[in-house]
Amino acid sequence: MPSDITFYLLAALTLAGAVAAMSLRNIVHCVLCAAGAFAGLAGIYLQLNAEFVGVAQLLVYVGAVAILLVFTILLTHGADVKLGSALISSGWKTGLAISALVLVCLVVPVLTSPGLRHEAASGVVAPMMQKIGEQLMGQCVLPLETTGLLLTAALLGAVVIAMNDKTAAGPKTGVPPNHEAGKEPGLR
Amino acid sequence: MSNLDQVFVTLLHWVVGLVPASLQPWVSTLVIILAIMTVFGTCFALTTILERKILGRMQNRYGPNRVGPCGLFQPVADGIKMLTKEDIVPFSSDQVVHFLAPLVLTIPIWLAFAVIPFGRNMTAIDLNAGLLFFFAIGSASELAVFMAGWAGQNKYSLLGAMRAVAQMISYEVPLVLAAVPVVMLAGSLSLNDIVQAQSGYIAGGLPRWNVLTPWGLAAFIMFLIAATAESNRSPFDLPEGESEIIAGYLTEYSGFKYALFFLGEYMGLFAITSLAVTLFLGGWHAPLPVLEWLPSWFWFGLKFSALIFGFIWIRATLPRLRLDQMLSLAWKFLVPLALLNLLAAAVWHWSGQCRLFPGSMAVRWLVCAAILVFPGIRLGRSLNGLSATPRQYRYAK
């Protein structure tokens, strides 16, 4: 089956990318591998006929998040930074516990949801896009707008924090101007 | 008429019919991929020579005229030169990323052609979210440009890459916003449906293309400006800026990898031009009812070539923008105007529902144009004001 081959290729790309993103030493390599994992995930969505989710995954994660990460790294640390001596953080047990908890929280509702009992209807992808649009602009417009507002607030907050860091003449925000001294932003 | 119109579709069916049924989906896909690659690869070769010829003509010189008749074999010579050049990988560069960057740039751009309707029944994949897919796949090229600049491990490459990424992100916003009214009025993200929505003619015999409405014209112009910037073409070619940052992210590339970047740049231009034709110029529809007998793919090709010529003309005409001018053009002019254009499109749509009096069409035109023109002039004036104050240089005096 060609679709099986495609699935295994995409799954391999996603998993390999994710593993590499966690285990490589160079932080820019990590970001690039993470972008590969995002792209593989988008491919899997597309293969499952979830066009909108797949394309949105590409647009948001590969197009925006990866670039954002890259900018963040270059503007803060510089790409030639050495990661800590140990590849695996000392708090790995806590991390493992938290990620296991998150996994359980995600898997249990999915497995118990009644949606899984139905056989996936094939060939009814056509009205999906419109349905998503109508839902977003109709029933779910309030959560959507709230999320947008929250993200805008976060963005403004980030700008304020970053401005305060840059010059002594930055806006008064109640944070002492010299906190995080020695972290000069700039391309290195 | 329909024979000539469907000649490529018939050809595809004939080729696919030659192989056993189990192989047919594979062969069909392969033939379509080969067709797209051949057509646009040839387009690439022709455009390089024509661009140099036209630029030469506009600058009062001959352009390349040594290889073959009228210099027509120049692309072949260029190709051989590029292929046989030494592929230099700098010692301190990041070898793997350096190798991957041209591929990551080129492959998604080829994928973008999959959703473009080149003629009647000539869409490789009719995705429901075709337009969104196009923009999503295009966003991968930003990462590729960053990879190319960063892998070189020198400051000019990195500066060029950061310029390029900033430019691409900035102009992606007006690019997408200019396309939004088309989606709103067509009610679909599928490019086939968008072409379908532009079929037929209004009373005067004029086609119902989006570019012939006030919002469509404004969106078309904004789309072309943003497309020029997205494909890093003059006057938005600062990421390469030969005189300032020695070709930016291309500094460390030579030989065939450089050719791949070159190819990617032109393919990006072709893809986005195809999208402009599809969104605003009625796709493969003929401009007049009497011209319907010409095949649909001919009309697509004609509009496509005209737009490419326009891009070359712009390149010959305008000087390069400064970085701050480039960014303020995007954020202070194009984005607000594109948002206003959404309003104009809404007014146009809702006023079209009620036919009050005979001259209502002219009134609609005037109202929608006024929504765009007056703020446009105002915003344009504020852009002029920017250069009136002396610029503060931090690092150079």
Side-chain angles (χ1 to χ4, degrees), chain B residues 247-315:
Chain B
Y249 57 90
L250 300 174
T251 306
E252 303 294 358
Y253 281 94
S254 61
F256 199 61
K257 287 179 188 159
Y258 181 82
L260 270 183
F261 275 106
F262 204 59
L263 176 84
E265 205 160 281
Y266 273 92
M267 285 306 145
L269 179 71
F270 293 161
I272 219 155
T273 309
S274 307
L275 191 68
V277 169
T278 306
L279 289 181
F280 299 105
L281 298 182
W284 41 262
H285 285 298
L288 291 171
V290 287
L291 294 172
E292 287 275 3
W293 59 275
L294 280 164
S296 55
W297 42 266
F298 170 77
W299 286 115
F300 187 92
L302 195 68
K303 294 169 192 175
F304 176 81
S305 317
L307 279 188
I308 292 287
F309 177 73
F311 277 120
I312 296 175
W313 194 352
I314 289 170
R315 176 172 172 182

Side-chain angles (χ1 to χ4, degrees), chain A residues 45-60:
Chain A
Y45 285 137
L46 284 178
Q47 203 200 7
L48 291 172
N49 274 343
E51 276 175 20
F52 182 75
V53 189
V55 170
Q57 165 89 13
L58 263 186
L59 201 60
V60 174

Side-chain angles (χ1 to χ4, degrees), chain B residues 24 46 122 176 185 196 221 276 281 335:
Chain B
Q24 277 182 1
L46 280 178
M122 280 167 68
V176 176
L185 268 73
Q196 203 56 47
I221 295 169
L281 298 182
V335 170

